[in-house]
Amino acid sequence: NDQNLIKGIRLYATNCAVCHGAADGNPSNIASGLFQHAPQLARHGVTDDPEGKIYWFVKHGVRLTGMPAFSGALSEEQLWQVVLFLKHMDSLTPAAEKVWKTVPSTKS
């Protein structure tokens, strides 16, 4: 529902956008300096990935990259709210799309 999508967008904005970008798809200075490069999810999303795979990456992180595990920082509900947003970011409801478009680009 809109409430969970919007909570997922806000969690993404706080925890993920610095590396994975905002709605404009532009990498931040931090993202540009990462190796391995973090995918800019507004351009190269994970909407075709199964929810379980997205959840696993968000919860456990990815070894030998800059992707941290969020299992210690986010609750199960919050993890699933982020997953819900990532899975449906290409087909957001109008209310959720409006919030997504307000996430500031972190490019300076």
Side-chain angles (χ1 to χ4, degrees):
N1 63 26
D2 278 345
Q3 182 180 5
N4 281 319
L5 279 170
I6 291 168
K7 285 181 180 180
I9 292 166
R10 290 187 176 136
L11 288 163
Y12 176 93
T14 300
N15 296 285
C16 312
V18 68
C19 293
H20 292 290
D24 64 9
N26 294 323
S28 68
N29 292 338
I30 291 171
S32 296
L34 288 175
F35 186 80
Q36 305 288 334
H37 293 292
Q40 298 306 293
L41 295 178
R43 291 186 186 173
H44 309 288
V46 293
T47 57
D48 58 341
D49 289 350
E51 290 90 351
K53 181 178 180 180
I54 300 167
Y55 174 84
W56 196 94
F57 283 130
V58 175
K59 182 172 182 169
H60 299 289
V62 181
R63 284 184 60 196
L64 305 176
T65 72
M67 177 65 189
F70 284 95
S71 58
L74 300 177
S75 69
E76 283 294 309
E77 181 177 24
Q78 290 172 319
L79 290 169
W80 281 110
Q81 288 166 336
V82 171
V83 170
L84 177 70
F85 163 62
L86 293 173
K87 179 66 180 173
H88 299 285
M89 69 187 310
D90 65 346
S91 60
L92 295 172
T93 64
E97 182 74 24
K98 184 177 179 180
V99 174
W100 173 226
K101 296 295 183 186
T102 67
V103 173
S105 176
T106 53
K107 185 76 173 169
S108 63

